[in-house]
Amino acid sequence: MSSITSAAAMKLLDVRLKHAGSIITSAIGEFSTSGVQEIACLRAGGTIDLYRIVITNVSSDGDDDDEEDEEEVQTTLKLLKRIETRSTLRSLTAIRISGSKKDVILVGADGGCLSLIAFDTAASASNNNSDASVTYKLLHCPTFGKSGCRRDTPGQYLASDPRGGRAVMIASTEKRKLVYVLNRDSGGNITIASPLEAHRPRTVVFDLVGVDNGFDNPIFASLEVQYPEYEDAVLAERKKKKEKEDHDKMEVEGGRDVELGQHGDGYTKQLAYYELDLGLNHVSRRWATSTIRSACCLAAIPGGLDGPSGVLVGGEDYIEYLREGMTLPPSSNGESKVTPKRLICAIPRRELHPKSKGVLITTISVLRQKKGKFFALAQSELGDVYKVTLQMSKEDKTVVTHMTICLLDTLPVGNGLNISKLALLFVPAEFGDHGLYQFDAIDIEDSAVKFTSEETISAFVKSGKSSEDAFYASSENAAAIVPTFRPTILRNMHKVFALDSLAPVTSVLVGELAGNEVSPQFYTLCGRGPRSSLRILRHGLSVTELAVSELPGTPGGVFNVRDDRATKNGKFHDRYIVVSFADATLVLSVGETVEEMGKESGFLTSDPTLACSALGNGDKDGGIVQVCPGGVRHIRRVNNQVNVSQWSVPGIKKIERASANEFQILIALAGGELIYFELDPMSGNLTEACTRDVGTDVCCLDVGPVPQGKSRSLFAVVGSRDSNVRLLSLDPGSLLVQKSSTTLGTTKPHSAALSIVSDDDGASELTMTVGLEDGSALRANVDPITGAISTSPSRRFLGARPVAVSRVTLDGSPSTLLLSSRPWIGRNGKGRHAMAPMSYAPLDYGCSFSNEAVREGIVATSGSTLRILSVGENGGNNALLGNDDDETFNATNVSLRYTPRQMCLLSAKVGETNKKIVLALVESDYNDYGAEDKRSMGFDGTGRLKTTSKKIESKSNDDAMDMDEDSDDDANNEEKKEEADDEDEDDINSRLTPIRGPVPSGKGRWGSCVRLVDPQNACNTLDCVELNRNEAALCCASVRFHSRGGESLLAVGTVTSMTMHPLCHKESHVVLYRVVNGDRLQFLHRTKVDDGPVLSLVHFQGRLLVGIGRTLRLYEMGKRQLLKKCELRGLPTMVKTLHAAGDRAYVGDMMQSLHFIRYDSTANRLVLVARDRSSRPITCQELLDMNTVAVGDKFGNVSILRLPGGADVGAIDVTGTRALWDSSREDATPKLETLCTYHVGEVVTSMTRASLVAGGAESLVYVTVTGRVGAFVPFTSREDVEFYTSLEGYLRVEAPRPTGRDPQAYRSYYAPTKHIVDGDLCDAYSQLPYETKQKIAEQLDRSVGEITKKLEDTRNAIL
């Protein structure tokens, strides 16, 4: 890391490797295309994502009509557009203006502006699957307040009028509400009027929603609480004691109930209607009523002719329906003196949930199915999803008679529920992967666990209580009347797609621990509770191996031959796979099975094949061309007879290189002679068109693809042994005329390919990719008119072997396959070229492959094997290479039992001499039971017990029914049963759902374990030690005591019965474990410590340094426990992080930033050397060198602090003459210098120093609580610093501001940004209009291509 800290003024570049996975909120609608369901998401980190719900039929394209019934439907989410806002996003709503066929979104952020954004599909883009075809336009961005997330600045809540989008209300957490009126002008453009104020002082808002009341004046419902003035509160304080005493006396004596808000708690929660009078252009508070005190969310009910209007209010244990002027039907209990005033229904509860604790409804969503028919879905804090239905009176459809709540399924807890008209449900999870679910059944009232409002109201009437508020405020009352259930796997829906999300990431470790890979892996601790996992991220695309077959020898090439018959959807599949050997050719026929072909194929199998291709455009059979060393063979099938015509090489020369497409063939003979052939469209014969001698041997050549709607490629690329690459014309008027060339220097070309790609505007570009002998690849743009090669080609090192280049298709777009010591995929998208490795073994040769089973695949050779591969996996984002600004990663998940807290590496001894690296993790969950307690309670976290037993019973019944069948069919029955078992297992896997364990009734309950995994064996668990006695492991470290001979031991810091509010615990311990034989943890001893919880441990000079509350303590190894050697007391709040190097310890305080500590071995004491002058609430830290530390705080800032020169000289008083009071003075302690400051925008939870490529420079890798992975990369030259600093300065002015937030102000949220360049902002250059790019390039004295190449080279140097 010396390269980072060598310069006096450190300069870093922030590079995002993976976007934040956490979704704040989302909305469903038709945004870019009318009639197509899409989902708009606000992600943490300031990005707006637009996803399209894509439903495709995965079926065979054969001619058998019976197979149509076996079509499978595949549902995915396609990323269409990603908008970088560089702001903190807060709220989102979708709105459709009257007369429009598409929805627009309104976004509230911290910029003090309301953003109205519309999406559109570019007319020039013909490929609907390309994200370049979707653009966005900022229609309006009016400013209404100060920037920042302030409690009185609107933006936290946003609601729109459901009828025609006539108005929108934006509200702050406290006091302020603004209403904007939307309309259209004469040109059809959306207009927005000046805001109307609806402020109400001393009012706290909990939720906001637009009420559907037909086409009357727009109404907005607000869930709010009004608190008294401070003076009134002081006067009321004197009455509190007396009121409290009176209340307690009434409770003891069974006196009358007192209304909520009268107990001295100071507030009553209300639902208020705010009406916009369109005639008077005025907003007034129309109506208000009290609701349950625990209410926290709202949902609007359809009104007008579609429903009764009103809102659903979700709270603890109950859902209430409220509407202005509503009346309840008469109670069935006529003898009761109590008249119910509320239409409220209790929700069913879990069987093991404690009666003293309520279940809070966190989100409600309503779907209008058709006129007069709708339903709502509500989710609880435990993840249970309920269906809510309202029954209306037959006489008056605006009167709701009763409500029914029934259990639907259990899903991960989400930040919202987006119900699609396609019977799909999108759940943006709070933590973990987001899910898209398909409904199997929705009308479940007859079979599901349910409860009604009639039963709820009847229970209140029978209780004899006089106050509804007091009855509904008690969780015991709700638990006594509702039915219970036990959560299982999904019954009424199944998961069809998942969006990856790492959130939350608690720790990261980077290194090559697998033992057999080139690049390092990212080991991240992710998730919470039952969704916790250890995820191993590898840079590259995931690869699915579909088939592997042994070959009779080592091949020298592989080709695909297209079938001339188009499928039903107009696409072509492959007919043959041709494998070339040194002296033979193997032809494989592609169908339901792959079979070897002989002479009947027409191929010459006794010679190697240099190139082959199907000829013609598919309208008629043009035949197949095969190029061998001895000549060119044209294979045609006439009247089911194979007709072969051959052009032979004159003399004794041989063909050395060849390339062919559908209409053109180019061959190179020994000595550099080129011969060009064309397919005559009239006769269907091949004709020799031109010959040219380039004067040197040809290494590689390619004629390029034929553009759509054209009959020829206009250019061919030829690489020769003189290290030149020439671009030759194939235009009929100038055949084989050189248009341009480029020199490669000392290396030689090995392969070449021309590709046609589409830019963001839908225009086509011609790209040349050349694989070089030295293992690098060169890519350059080619002018499609003149054939000029760009003057700034991009070059990237790929591996130690020469690079073989070929064209493939990925995600419907042309891509490039580059094979070296590691396979790579390159593709254009988002205005830049993206390149990522494939997570697979080295390949020798490859080309694209497509058949009925594999739509887009790759057929390749590796050694003496033939492999069929599929790039990307269903449900992953890595198939979208080029559609995202992220680097491409694929993940391997290892499920964990509890929330992971920390991890460390251990060197374990195996046998006498061998050693292995193992990974130790500590997991713990607050407010949860341990595994043994859960098993004793009968809890099943998978929810599969009942399902498995039912399937076993059904299978046994099937066996009994089949006993009388003919014995000849036994084999078929066995096969059918195996297929049915596989289908059942697949169905169960799609229905698995994480289920949270039972909630303890008391405080301070923990579930925790210590896990040992093997990173060399896919991180399989070697040992897992469950902690009992309500003990929680919070931190761990590897320690090597000198008294133990340097053996690596595992130290774990634990607390017992710790509660968060207030923060207290019974005991704290440091537990030592020994790794036995590399696969088992052996308990050594436990040491009880005082002064606070143990939150950090570190190895320090052969001892263990422990942070215990406000104390830093040094321990030595003892036989029965750790032995205390010295300590430092009086640290500001609590030791959160620890690092050590030499005789120094670096202590991160939970509230008071960083402290440098030095160990005085002569006096055996710890001495404070320096501290930070700013108060930073530290969340993580990483040591850069002896004097420099990077820290992250809980506000999303990253700072780099350095110890001033000579500051530690006077820390230890060797003379003994310094006065005691001088050494303890605050101003006498040296202060740390702040080298860099930067606001990431997300809480950084872990940092580590690592090299992301083998042999590369180190970077500072960080992860955030919302799932972002990034790196701070040090600049290595002054030129790079000046370039990026200037580019960032220009982009701060020129880059779009979708939410009105200034980029520099955002990165300087809490302190001015210093010496760190915003890499996200620099990457925005590639997405600017060309005129803006040209303007910035002129100011930088560079060309647009040079700037783009510089940006790509910087990112390529990292990974």
Side-chain angles (χ1 to χ4, degrees):
M1 206 65 178
S2 59
S3 60
I4 289 186
T5 58
S6 58
M10 186 187 310
K11 301 285 187 178
L12 301 175
L13 173 67
D14 176 32
V15 177
R16 181 185 56 234
L17 303 179
K18 190 173 181 62
H19 263 95
S22 179
I23 294 179
I24 302 170
T25 184
S26 57
I28 194 165
E30 300 172 1
F31 299 107
S32 66
T33 306
S34 177
V36 179
Q37 290 279 287
E38 295 166 341
I39 300 173
C41 304
L42 299 189
R43 285 190 181 268
T47 58
I48 304 174
D49 289 354
L50 181 66
Y51 290 93
R52 175 174 295 171
I53 301 176
V54 180
I55 301 178
T56 55
N57 293 326
V58 181
S59 62
S60 62
D61 295 309
D63 298 331
D64 191 356
D65 295 337
D66 296 336
E67 295 181 359
E68 294 182 359
D69 297 334
E70 300 180 1
E71 289 185 351
E72 296 181 3
V73 176
Q74 182 179 5
T75 305
T76 58
L77 290 178
K78 178 86 172 175
L79 178 63
L80 298 179
K81 193 66 180 178
R82 172 163 287 169
I83 305 174
E84 295 286 348
T85 65
R86 288 168 287 278
S87 61
T88 302
L89 303 178
R90 306 172 70 186
S91 55
L92 168 73
T93 187
I95 188 172
R96 178 173 296 191
I97 309 296
S98 296
S100 177
K101 296 182 179 180
K102 295 189 297 184
D103 299 315
V104 296
I105 62 172
L106 288 141
V107 179
D110 64 341
C113 304
L114 176 64
S115 301
L116 185 62
I117 300 175
F119 295 93
D120 195 10
T121 303
S124 59
S126 59
N127 185 7
N128 292 332
N129 292 330
S130 174
D131 78 314
S133 63
V134 176
T135 60
Y136 83 94
K137 182 179 180 181
L138 182 62
L139 301 179
H140 297 282
C141 190
T143 303
F144 53 73
K146 298 180 180 179
S147 62
C149 296
R150 310 169 190 267
R151 67 178 188 175
D152 60 345
T153 299
Q156 186 65 31
Y157 301 100
L158 196 58
S160 61
D161 173 36
R163 290 285 178 174
R166 298 170 294 176
V168 59
M169 174 178 278
I170 183 169
S172 62
T173 305
E174 184 178 358
K175 182 183 178 180
R176 299 185 65 195
K177 299 183 184 70
L178 297 175
V179 175
Y180 288 88
V181 179
L182 304 178
N183 214 325
R184 286 185 177 275
D185 59 13
S186 58
N189 301 315
I190 299 177
T191 61
I192 186 167
S194 300
L196 304 175
E197 295 183 354
H199 306 330
R200 189 170 178 84
R202 306 187 311 279
T203 301
V204 178
V205 179
F206 290 83
D207 202 3
L208 188 70
V209 71
V211 179
D212 187 353
N213 64 333
F215 291 98
D216 293 339
N217 285 332
I219 294 178
F220 301 94
S222 173
L223 186 63
E224 57 190 32
V225 167
Q226 188 169 8
Y227 59 88
E229 290 275 6
Y230 175 75
E231 293 79 4
D232 297 338
V234 171
L235 295 176
E237 186 69 24
R238 302 175 182 176
K239 302 180 181 179
K240 273 191 178 182
K241 293 184 179 180
K242 187 176 183 305
E243 293 176 352
K244 182 70 166 57
E245 293 173 357
D246 294 341
H247 172 61
D248 294 340
K249 182 177 179 181
M250 283 187 289
E251 284 188 343
V252 173
E253 298 178 356
R256 66 178 182 86
D257 298 316
V258 183
E259 295 285 337
L260 291 178
Q262 308 287 333
H263 293 167
D265 51 34
Y267 71 88
T268 299
K269 195 164 288 186
Q270 291 184 332
L271 177 71
Y273 274 16
Y274 290 85
E275 181 184 11
L276 168 64
D277 193 320
L278 294 175
L280 300 177
N281 204 27
H282 173 71
V283 182
S284 61
R285 196 171 192 254
R286 170 172 172 167
W287 171 77
T289 184
S290 62
T291 182
I292 51 178
R293 180 180 177 181
S294 59
C296 64
C297 58
L298 301 175
I301 299 298
L305 300 177
D306 299 326
S309 186
V311 294
L312 289 176
V313 183
E316 196 172 65
D317 298 316
Y318 297 94
I319 296 177
E320 184 179 6
Y321 170 75
L322 290 173
R323 183 174 66 88
E324 182 184 7
M326 64 176 292
T327 57
L328 293 182
S331 175
S332 58
N333 192 348
E335 300 178 358
S336 175
K337 298 181 181 179
V338 180
T339 302
K341 300 179 181 179
R342 290 181 171 175
L343 183 60
I344 191 170
C345 184
I347 61 174
R349 298 163 62 97
R350 293 192 180 185
E351 203 173 280
L352 301 177
H353 195 76
K355 296 182 178 180
S356 59
K357 290 196 172 184
V359 180
L360 183 68
I361 297 295
T362 58
T363 181
I364 306 177
S365 181
V366 179
L367 176 67
R368 176 184 175 272
Q369 294 173 291
K370 57 183 180 180
K371 183 177 180 180
K373 187 176 182 181
F374 59 90
F375 69 89
L377 294 183
Q379 188 177 38
S380 70
E381 59 183 333
L382 302 180
D384 301 321
V385 179
Y386 303 91
K387 180 187 177 184
V388 183
T389 55
L390 301 178
Q391 286 75 33
M392 278 77 73
S393 172
K394 295 181 180 180
E395 293 78 13
D396 188 356
K397 295 297 183 180
T398 62
V399 176
V400 177
T401 57
H402 62 278
M403 182 194 318
T404 302
I405 299 178
C406 54
L407 176 69
L408 183 66
D409 263 320
T410 299
L411 300 176
V413 180
N415 291 324
L417 298 174
N418 301 121
I419 312 172
S420 169
K421 297 178 181 179
L422 303 174
L424 295 169
L425 173 66
F426 177 68
V427 181
E430 281 187 348
F431 297 108
D433 295 344
H434 315 290
L436 183 66
Y437 298 86
Q438 177 77 54
F439 285 104
D440 296 329
I442 194 62
D443 296 326
I444 58 173
E445 284 79 5
D446 296 334
S447 58
V449 179
K450 64 180 179 180
F451 204 63
T452 65
S453 59
E454 293 178 342
E455 295 173 296
T456 306
I457 296 173
S458 177
F460 160 67
V461 172
K462 293 178 181 179
S463 68
K465 298 277 187 178
S466 60
S467 170
E468 290 181 293
D469 292 328
F471 178 81
Y472 297 134
S474 172
S475 297
E476 288 84 355
N477 294 336
I481 61 176
V482 297
T484 59
F485 63 91
R486 181 163 292 191
T488 63
I489 63 174
L490 302 179
R491 301 285 190 178
N492 301 301
M493 62 180 73
H494 64 277
K495 182 185 287 188
V496 295
F497 190 79
L499 279 179
D500 293 337
S501 173
L502 301 181
V505 185
T506 57
S507 183
V508 65
L509 191 151
V510 181
E512 206 297 284
L513 305 181
N516 55 356
E517 299 181 14
V518 178
S519 300
Q521 305 92 42
F522 291 70
Y523 294 83
T524 57
L525 299 182
C526 307
R528 183 184 68 173
R531 308 196 75 192
S532 301
S533 63
L534 167 64
R535 300 200 183 189
I536 303 96
L537 303 180
R538 291 175 172 84
H539 179 226
L541 294 161
S542 65
V543 177
T544 303
E545 189 178 82
L546 302 178
V548 178
S549 177
E550 289 290 334
L551 296 174
T554 301
V558 62
F559 311 93
N560 66 323
V561 177
R562 185 200 67 196
D563 195 341
D564 55 2
R565 295 171 299 178
T567 60
K568 296 177 181 178
N569 53 12
K571 296 184 179 180
F572 293 90
H573 290 326
D574 291 336
R575 184 177 181 181
Y576 297 117
I577 297 175
V578 180
V579 184
S580 175
F581 297 91
D583 56 355
T585 294
L586 177 66
V587 182
L588 302 175
S589 175
V590 179
E592 294 182 358
T593 59
V594 178
E595 300 177 351
E596 182 177 350
M597 299 289 289
K599 295 182 179 180
E600 66 272 14
S601 64
F603 282 81
L604 181 63
T605 59
S606 59
D607 282 351
T609 299
L610 301 178
C612 66
S613 173
L615 298 177
N617 55 10
D619 295 339
K620 59 181 180 179
D621 186 8
I624 299 173
V625 63
Q626 179 191 16
V627 182
C628 300
V632 179
R633 293 170 58 88
H634 187 193
I635 307 168
R636 303 182 67 182
R637 188 175 296 273
V638 180
N639 297 326
N640 293 327
Q641 298 293 327
V642 176
N643 184 12
V644 179
S645 59
Q646 179 166 337
W647 176 91
S648 299
V649 180
I652 61 174
K653 290 186 177 181
K654 297 292 184 181
I655 301 176
E656 292 187 344
R657 300 289 184 269
S659 177
N661 59 26
E662 294 89 338
F663 298 96
Q664 300 160 294
I665 300 97
L666 182 64
I667 62 174
L669 305 183
E673 183 180 357
L674 300 178
I675 303 177
Y676 173 66
F677 299 85
E678 280 191 354
L679 178 68
D680 188 346
M682 301 301 296
S683 64
N685 298 323
L686 286 176
T687 59
E688 182 178 344
C690 185
T691 301
R692 181 189 172 183
D693 193 346
V694 296
T696 181
D697 288 341
V698 174
C699 300
C700 57
L701 53 84
D702 182 64
V703 295
V706 179
Q708 186 176 5
K710 304 293 183 180
S711 61
R712 69 176 68 244
S713 170
L714 294 180
F715 301 101
V717 58
V718 177
S720 55
R721 294 192 181 277
D722 59 357
S723 299
N724 287 324
V725 177
R726 299 173 174 85
L727 199 71
L728 306 181
S729 172
L730 297 182
D731 187 78
S734 56
L735 282 175
L736 299 184
V737 175
Q738 180 174 322
K739 292 295 185 180
S740 59
S741 65
T742 182
T743 303
L744 302 177
T746 58
T747 187
K748 295 179 176 58
H750 179 75
S751 60
L754 289 172
S755 303
I756 300 175
V757 298
S758 299
D759 59 11
D760 291 344
D761 299 327
S764 296
E765 293 182 353
L766 188 62
T767 302
M768 178 185 69
T769 305
V770 181
L772 308 181
E773 293 282 353
D774 62 358
S776 59
L778 181 141
R779 183 184 58 85
N781 292 329
V782 177
D783 191 297
I785 305 300
T786 64
I789 301 175
S790 63
T791 57
S792 57
S794 176
R795 190 165 176 173
R796 182 170 184 175
F797 180 75
L798 302 183
R801 290 164 43 178
V803 179
V805 183
S806 60
R807 290 183 295 272
V808 295
T809 301
L810 177 65
D811 198 37
S813 299
S815 306
T816 308
L817 175 66
L818 303 100
L819 303 179
S820 181
S821 55
R822 189 177 185 184
W824 293 71
I825 291 286
R827 178 184 169 188
N828 272 34
K830 301 286 277 187
R832 67 182 183 93
H833 182 77
M835 185 177 291
M838 296 165 56
S839 297
Y840 197 69
L843 301 174
D844 300 326
Y845 304 96
C847 64
S848 62
F849 176 77
S850 176
N851 71 346
E852 297 173 355
V854 184
R855 289 190 166 189
E856 296 175 347
I858 295 174
V859 57
T861 63
S862 178
S864 60
T865 60
L866 180 69
R867 303 165 185 247
I868 297 178
L869 312 174
S870 175
V871 180
E873 55 186 357
N874 293 334
N877 291 336
N878 47 24
L880 300 174
L881 175 65
N883 287 358
D884 200 343
D885 295 334
D886 295 346
E887 291 293 335
T888 304
F889 289 90
N890 67 90
T892 303
N893 293 359
V894 179
S895 298
L896 303 178
R897 189 176 298 173
Y898 307 103
T899 302
R901 302 290 176 174
Q902 208 170 12
M903 61 180 169
C904 66
L905 289 175
L906 295 170
S907 177
K909 191 174 182 180
V910 181
E912 295 296 331
T913 58
N914 297 331
K915 288 187 177 182
K916 65 181 294 187
I917 300 296
V918 294
L919 192 60
L921 293 77
V922 292
E923 311 166 30
S924 58
D925 267 330
Y926 179 57
N927 206 22
D928 197 4
Y929 288 106
E932 293 295 332
D933 294 335
K934 292 179 182 178
R935 279 193 290 268
S936 63
M937 299 169 67
F939 172 75
D940 176 28
T942 63
R944 299 182 60 171
L945 291 180
K946 295 183 179 180
T947 304
T948 305
S949 61
K950 288 183 179 180
K951 289 187 176 295
I952 292 175
E953 292 176 3
S954 62
K955 290 179 182 179
S956 62
N957 293 335
D958 291 342
D959 292 340
M961 293 176 63
D962 293 340
M963 287 178 62
D964 296 333
E965 293 186 1
D966 191 356
S967 60
D968 295 338
D969 296 334
D970 288 345
N972 294 333
N973 294 334
E974 292 285 342
E975 294 178 0
K976 291 180 179 179
K977 289 175 184 177
E978 292 178 0
E979 293 177 359
D981 292 343
D982 294 339
E983 292 178 359
D984 290 343
E985 189 65 27
D986 293 339
D987 182 65
I988 289 178
N989 291 335
S990 68
R991 296 179 184 275
L992 290 178
T993 183
I995 300 175
R996 193 210 189 283
V999 179
S1001 57
K1003 294 183 178 180
R1005 294 301 302 253
W1006 288 81
S1008 181
C1009 69
V1010 180
R1011 188 183 301 268
L1012 196 68
V1013 300
D1014 185 4
Q1016 297 182 2
N1017 187 20
C1019 283
N1020 289 333
T1021 299
L1022 300 173
D1023 193 13
C1024 186
V1025 179
E1026 185 75 20
L1027 300 184
N1028 298 318
R1029 303 184 306 108
N1030 205 21
E1031 190 175 20
L1034 300 181
C1035 59
C1036 65
S1038 173
V1039 58
R1040 298 175 301 279
F1041 291 101
H1042 290 170
S1043 58
R1044 294 277 298 190
E1047 179 185 7
S1048 183
L1049 303 179
L1050 176 63
V1052 179
T1054 68
V1055 293
T1056 303
S1057 301
M1058 185 172 74
T1059 60
M1060 299 298 180
H1061 302 287
L1063 183 60
C1064 61
H1065 64 285
K1066 290 184 179 180
E1067 295 177 336
S1068 295
H1069 296 88
V1070 177
V1071 188
L1072 283 185
Y1073 294 94
R1074 176 173 176 260
V1075 182
V1076 180
N1077 202 28
D1079 60 0
R1080 183 169 58 88
L1081 288 173
Q1082 179 185 19
F1083 173 78
L1084 293 181
H1085 57 63
R1086 180 191 307 270
T1087 304
K1088 183 178 179 180
V1089 297
D1090 300 325
D1091 299 329
V1094 179
L1095 299 182
S1096 54
L1097 304 162
V1098 71
H1099 171 265
F1100 184 78
Q1101 294 187 349
R1103 298 175 179 178
L1104 181 63
L1105 190 62
V1106 185
I1108 311 168
R1110 300 174 60 190
T1111 302
L1112 188 66
R1113 191 172 295 168
L1114 187 63
Y1115 284 98
E1116 180 60 271
M1117 179 74 174
K1119 292 185 177 180
R1120 295 180 178 270
Q1121 65 175 17
L1122 295 174
L1123 305 177
K1124 182 170 64 174
K1125 290 301 179 181
C1126 67
E1127 65 179 16
L1128 177 64
R1129 290 180 172 270
L1131 292 173
T1133 56
M1134 190 172 294
V1135 178
K1136 179 64 175 64
T1137 56
L1138 269 179
H1139 275 82
D1143 62 348
R1144 286 185 187 169
Y1146 309 87
V1147 181
D1149 189 82
M1150 188 171 286
M1151 295 299 295
Q1152 296 297 324
S1153 193
L1154 194 67
H1155 297 71
F1156 278 44
I1157 309 294
R1158 182 176 176 183
Y1159 176 63
D1160 183 4
S1161 58
T1162 58
N1164 189 29
R1165 66 189 184 117
L1166 297 168
V1167 182
L1168 177 64
V1169 174
R1171 64 177 54 161
D1172 189 12
R1173 65 179 72 251
S1174 301
S1175 299
R1176 309 177 200 270
I1178 299 295
T1179 58
C1180 62
Q1181 68 180 38
E1182 177 63 16
L1183 183 64
L1184 303 184
D1185 61 23
M1186 284 291 291
N1187 297 321
T1188 313
V1189 180
V1191 298
D1193 61 40
K1194 71 176 184 179
F1195 297 116
N1197 302 307
V1198 171
S1199 304
I1200 297 181
L1201 309 175
R1202 177 175 287 179
L1203 182 70
D1208 60 339
V1209 175
I1212 299 178
D1213 183 19
V1214 295
T1215 63
T1217 59
R1218 182 189 302 169
L1220 178 63
W1221 50 85
D1222 286 342
S1223 60
S1224 61
R1225 286 168 48 194
E1226 175 71 21
D1227 56 354
T1229 304
K1231 300 300 186 293
L1232 300 175
E1233 297 176 351
T1234 303
L1235 299 184
C1236 303
T1237 304
Y1238 185 76
H1239 180 67
V1240 177
E1242 306 159 54
V1243 180
V1244 178
T1245 55
S1246 181
M1247 293 187 292
T1248 184
R1249 243 175 29 195
S1251 174
L1252 303 183
V1253 292
E1258 282 189 330
S1259 302
L1260 182 61
V1261 179
Y1262 66 88
V1263 293
T1264 67
V1265 72
T1266 54
R1268 170 176 172 146
V1269 181
F1272 292 110
V1273 182
F1275 288 112
T1276 57
S1277 66
R1278 184 177 298 275
E1279 178 187 357
D1280 291 345
V1281 173
E1282 293 176 353
F1283 169 77
Y1284 275 97
T1285 303
S1286 302
L1287 179 62
E1288 182 188 28
Y1290 291 126
L1291 287 172
R1292 285 173 179 171
V1293 179
E1294 301 294 342
R1297 302 178 182 182
T1299 59
R1301 187 66 160 146
D1302 178 37
Q1304 185 176 10
Y1306 177 67
R1307 295 304 180 190
S1308 307
Y1309 221 109
Y1310 296 94
T1313 181
K1314 182 178 180 181
H1315 293 169
I1316 296 183
V1317 177
D1318 186 356
D1320 291 353
L1321 183 60
C1322 293
D1323 288 340
Y1325 176 82
S1326 60
Q1327 301 180 32
L1328 295 175
Y1330 183 79
E1331 294 76 10
T1332 308
K1333 290 182 183 180
Q1334 187 66 32
K1335 175 183 175 183
I1336 296 176
E1338 291 175 356
Q1339 293 172 331
L1340 292 175
D1341 292 330
R1342 294 173 182 253
S1343 66
V1344 175
E1346 290 174 344
I1347 296 178
T1348 304
K1349 178 179 179 294
K1350 183 69 175 179
L1351 295 174
E1352 291 181 5
D1353 291 345
T1354 302
R1355 183 172 285 270
N1356 293 341
I1358 301 171
L1359 283 174

